Each structure stands twice: as structure tokens, then as C-alpha cells.
């Protein structure tokens, strides 16, 4: 049965402790979007997609094109026109068979520890919710706040249905999910510039590569 983002709902009661995790580079060892597309369409079409989208991807690196446009172009030339059921099945299979191989063991252990303490887990990612929702559900996350893809007449249009969940958008999506029930304490884990605003929002923030990941009980306030 397909997992819908609508199945992840905010709580009716006040949230005591919330833990927000970035995915790519933080939980995973590499970029999951490129890996998913390669897995879904094969190396030949994947390479052609990279070549076709290269002006947008290069423009993004040079600051001449926004990340959302570059991402949408790459997805359009590789996956546009695919039926929603077919794409959901690709996503489910990828999340069950390939994606777990990219998960860092130390982060898998940290996710389990937070879950065992009764903390609410939120995956906040610029990568598509399309496949992340399947993995997050199996890993015990309470919700996924990620980039959504647009479908029309049962097919992927090649466009994004939501703003790219990167940088300031991560904070906006978190605050929308909190609603009138902000957490008493927020932990956040990230690894890049795209996580800066989310880490600044948190009471306890960890950026991969900055310091050794603290023990949960010994974490100093941000």
C-alpha cells in the first residue's frame, strides 16, 4: 500500500521534544536523489539526463540558477511522463532495497536512541518525499517534510509541487508542522549550508564535520 505524506500528521497535543534530521550527507553517505534516479532509469538514461540538464546544474553551481529549477530540469529529462503508480513502485522498491545501504550506522543508532526516548522524529530534506516517506516510515519517523513532485492526469509532469525544501524552507516547513504546538526542545542534525537555518532554530544543533556528535544527555544548549 502506498505511503502518503498525508499520513504523517502533526500531534494534537504539545510536542515535548522534536528531533529534525536532514537526510543527504547527514543520515546518508551520498546524494540520494541522483542514486534514486540512476536506480529507477538505469545508467544510460541517467547519464543522458545529466548531460541534458548540465546547463541548469552548472548554473546552480555558479549561482546563476536556483536549486529548484536545476532539480526540476534534471527530474524532467529523466522521469517526466512516468505514471504515478510506476514511480511510487520504483520509490518503494528503492527505499526497501537500496536506500538502507546509504544510511550511516552511527546515524541509524542515533535515530533509534531518540525514538526509544519517546522523542518525535522529523525528516526534513530537499530530496523528494516520493521515496523518503517509505524509508522514514520504516525507520520510525513521525513525519517527512521534503520536496513534493507534481502529478497530473496520473503522470509526473517534471515539475515540483512544492518549494524546494532547502535552507529557509526547512524552517518554514517545520514551523507549519508545529502549528500552535511548538516543541519544548528541538534537536537538529545537518551537514551543509542548506541546513543552516534549521540548525539556528534548534536548541541543540549538530553539523557534521564541526564537532564529535555529543551524547544526547550531555548536549549543551545551542
Amino acid at each position: 500500500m502506498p505511503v502518503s505524506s498525508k499520513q504523517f500528521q502533526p500531534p494534537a497535543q504539545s510536542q515535548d521534544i522534536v528531533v529534525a534530521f536532514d537526510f543527504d550527507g547527514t543520515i546518508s553517505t551520498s546524494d540520494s536523489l541522483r542514486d534514486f534516479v540512476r536506480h529507477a532509469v538505469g545508467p544510460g538514461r541517467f547519464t543522458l539526463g545529466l548531460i541534458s540538464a548540465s546547463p541548469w546544474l552548472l548554473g546552480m553551481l555558479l549561482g546563476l540558477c536556483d536549486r529548484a529549477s536545476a532539480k526540476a530540469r534534471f527530474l524532467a529529462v529523466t522521469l517526466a511522463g512516468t505514471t504515478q503508480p510506476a514511480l511510487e513502485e520504483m520509490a518503494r522498491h528503492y527505499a526497501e532495497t537500496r536506500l538502507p545501504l546509504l544510511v550511516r550506522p552511527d546515524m541509524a543508532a542515533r535515530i533509534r536512541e531518540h525514538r526509544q526516548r519517546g522523542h518525535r522524529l522529523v525528516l526534513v530534506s530537499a530530496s523528494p518525499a516520493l521515496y523518503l516517506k517509505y524509508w522514514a516510515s520504516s525507520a520510525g519517523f513521525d513525519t517527512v517534510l521534503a520536496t513534493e513532485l507534481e502529478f497530473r492526469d496520473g503522470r509526473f509532469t517534471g515539475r515540483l509541487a512544492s518549494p524546494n525544501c532547502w535552507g529557509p524552507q526547512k524552517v518554514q516547513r517545520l514551523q507549519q508542522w508545529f502549528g500552535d504546538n511548538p516543541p519544548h526542545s528541538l534537536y537538529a542534525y545537518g551537514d551543509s549550508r542548506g541546513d543552516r537555518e534549521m540548525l539556528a532554530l534548534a536548541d541543540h544543533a549538530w553539523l557534521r564535520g564541526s564537532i564529535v556528535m555529543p551524547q544526547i544527555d550531555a548536549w549543551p544548549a545551542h
Side-chain angles (χ1 to χ4, degrees):
M1 178 180 178
V3 174
S4 168
S5 297
K6 294 181 180 179
Q7 290 180 256
F8 296 99
Q9 298 294 333
Q13 72 279 6
S14 175
Q15 306 172 80
D16 185 17
I17 297 177
V18 170
V19 189
F21 288 90
D22 167 61
F23 188 79
D24 294 285
T26 301
I27 293 176
S28 72
T29 56
S30 60
D31 182 85
S32 64
L33 176 58
R34 290 195 298 267
D35 193 65
F36 167 69
V37 173
R38 186 187 296 110
H39 178 84
V41 303
R45 188 171 175 183
F46 171 78
T47 301
L48 289 175
L50 284 178
I51 294 171
S52 179
S54 60
W56 285 263
L57 297 173
L58 180 60
M60 178 187 72
L61 295 175
L62 296 176
L64 303 175
C65 175
D66 63 86
R67 289 174 176 270
S69 297
K71 178 179 295 183
R73 180 61 184 177
F74 173 61
L75 291 171
V77 297
T78 52
L79 295 173
T82 307
T83 66
Q84 187 168 3
L87 205 49
E88 289 281 358
E89 177 57 26
M90 291 176 190
R92 182 197 61 77
H93 184 262
Y94 174 74
E96 291 178 356
T97 62
R98 171 65 184 171
L99 195 55
L101 302 178
L102 305 184
V103 174
R104 299 176 186 270
D106 63 331
M107 296 308 294
R110 180 53 62 98
I111 290 166
R112 287 194 299 270
E113 184 177 358
H114 276 294
R115 194 65 183 168
Q116 289 166 358
R117 291 167 178 258
H119 301 167
R120 298 184 62 84
L121 307 185
V122 185
L123 191 62
V124 191
S125 176
S127 287
L130 176 75
Y131 56 83
L132 288 178
K133 63 189 179 185
Y134 291 103
W135 176 82
S137 178
S138 68
F141 279 78
D142 294 278
T143 199
V144 173
L145 307 176
T147 304
E148 301 286 348
L149 307 187
E150 181 185 83
F151 291 91
R152 184 173 300 170
D153 299 325
R155 293 182 180 274
F156 174 46
T157 65
R159 295 187 291 269
L160 305 183
S162 71
N164 190 39
C165 192
W166 186 90
Q169 269 297 318
K170 292 195 172 190
V171 171
Q172 290 186 35
R173 294 288 295 276
L174 273 170
Q175 291 176 332
Q176 288 171 0
W177 184 69
F178 295 157
D180 296 328
N181 297 306
H184 173 71
S185 183
L186 175 65
Y187 288 78
Y189 295 80
D191 80 303
S192 70
R193 163 65 186 86
D195 303 312
R196 187 175 69 184
E197 290 83 358
M198 182 174 74
L199 296 177
L201 179 69
D203 302 289
H204 310 285
W206 179 72
L207 178 69
R208 179 171 292 281
S210 59
I211 60 172
V212 174
M213 188 164 57
Q215 296 296 316
I216 294 175
D217 289 332
W219 206 320
H222 183 57

